[in-house]
Amino acid sequence: PLVTFATKIIPALVAGCPVIVKGAPESQLIMRVVAECVEAAELPEGALSILCGDADLGRQLTADPRVALVSLTGSQRAAQEIIDATRGRFARTHLELGGKSAALVLDDADPAEVIKTLMPGAAAGTGQVCALLTRILVPATRLEEYLDVIKQAWARLKVGDPFDPAVQVGPMSNQAARDRTEDFLATALDEGATVVVGGRRPAGLDNGWYFEPTVLTDVRRDSRLAQQEVFG
């Protein structure tokens, strides 16, 4: 949330524009910390306002005729609502939505080198990154080789308390995110996919929305998993 927040407000403030931020309900504690930093920095009053609330607050802000630009990182549904709310006054919009990015591995690539960037690119942020490499395309002739390397790499990812320096994967943001992930997995298995590594809630982590980093193979190109963003 902090990175998303910063990339939106810094250019606007540099350009001399006051900014109102409506953070996601799951990130309101971070917004509070940032608000305290803004106060400590003694920014001019009104230069940066941080509001916490639900989707109705966001709708109220985007519909306000005094708002000249709306920047969203979120879902296609929210983006459509923003377009509908702003089109009458020709307000500008900046919409960063979901994705289904692919990692394309060529024939002459070294798996040991590829995995150094592939693993963080495909497993960061507990899967909740819009630019995540959620599809890994490798040469068919080297499939087993890559599956072995990927399985070993993903199995080494330590899941647990994010305050533990040894942990690489924390919990997802809320129960809905984990439920969505499990639903995608169940559908993928019904459609013929096979779990290579992960695929379940980790043992001993009952307090929090934890799920193991998961890799599947035998995923049909027209399947839901191949076509839609999981964000988990």
Side-chain angles (χ1 to χ4, degrees):
L2 187 59
V3 174
T4 304
F5 175 91
T7 55
K8 294 180 186 299
I9 69 163
I10 292 174
L13 292 176
V14 169
C17 302
V19 179
I20 301 173
V21 176
K22 202 292 286 185
E26 297 83 6
S27 63
Q28 294 188 14
L29 178 59
I30 293 177
M31 295 297 104
R32 174 62 181 264
V33 173
V34 173
E36 292 173 353
C37 293
V38 169
E39 186 178 32
E42 298 182 350
L43 287 185
E45 184 175 351
L48 179 59
S49 303
I50 299 175
L51 304 181
C52 292
D54 56 15
D56 287 337
L57 174 60
R59 294 186 183 100
Q60 182 178 344
L61 288 170
T62 56
D64 195 303
R66 294 168 294 179
V67 175
L69 182 146
V70 179
S71 180
L72 166 78
T73 297
S75 68
Q76 182 176 339
R77 177 181 176 183
Q80 186 61 59
E81 288 189 8
I82 289 172
I83 292 172
D84 293 340
T86 57
R87 63 161 52 118
R89 66 182 193 274
F90 299 105
R92 289 167 293 172
T93 56
H94 167 244
L95 308 173
E96 181 187 12
L97 311 180
K100 198 67 184 175
S101 304
L104 179 59
V105 183
L106 303 184
D107 291 347
D108 60 349
D110 179 359
E113 292 298 317
V114 169
I115 202 68
K116 293 178 183 179
T117 54
L118 179 60
M119 186 168 66
T126 60
Q128 299 169 119
V129 179
C130 58
L132 208 69
L133 299 175
T134 53
R135 295 178 294 139
I136 303 170
L137 308 180
V138 304
T141 55
R142 303 184 68 183
L143 176 60
E144 294 304 321
E145 180 183 6
Y146 270 100
L147 283 179
D148 184 58
V149 171
I150 288 171
K151 183 177 181 178
Q152 292 183 47
W154 258 251
R156 289 195 298 267
L157 288 170
K158 183 174 175 58
V159 182
D161 184 350
F163 288 103
D164 181 350
V167 165
Q168 297 157 291
V169 181
M172 282 182 275
S173 59
N174 53 32
Q175 182 177 354
R178 189 174 67 181
D179 290 347
R180 182 176 62 247
T181 300
E182 292 180 327
D183 183 58
F184 263 92
L185 176 62
T187 302
L189 295 178
D190 288 343
E191 294 178 332
T194 303
V195 173
V196 175
V197 61
R200 60 181 182 271
R201 301 180 185 184
L205 292 173
D206 299 325
N207 184 24
W209 315 116
Y210 291 95
F211 197 78
E212 292 181 345
T214 303
V215 177
L216 298 99
T217 188
D218 305 318
V219 178
R220 297 201 326 259
R221 291 187 181 185
D222 62 347
S223 68
R224 179 185 178 214
L225 182 62
Q227 296 292 326
Q228 298 182 23
E229 182 183 36
V230 180
F231 211 70

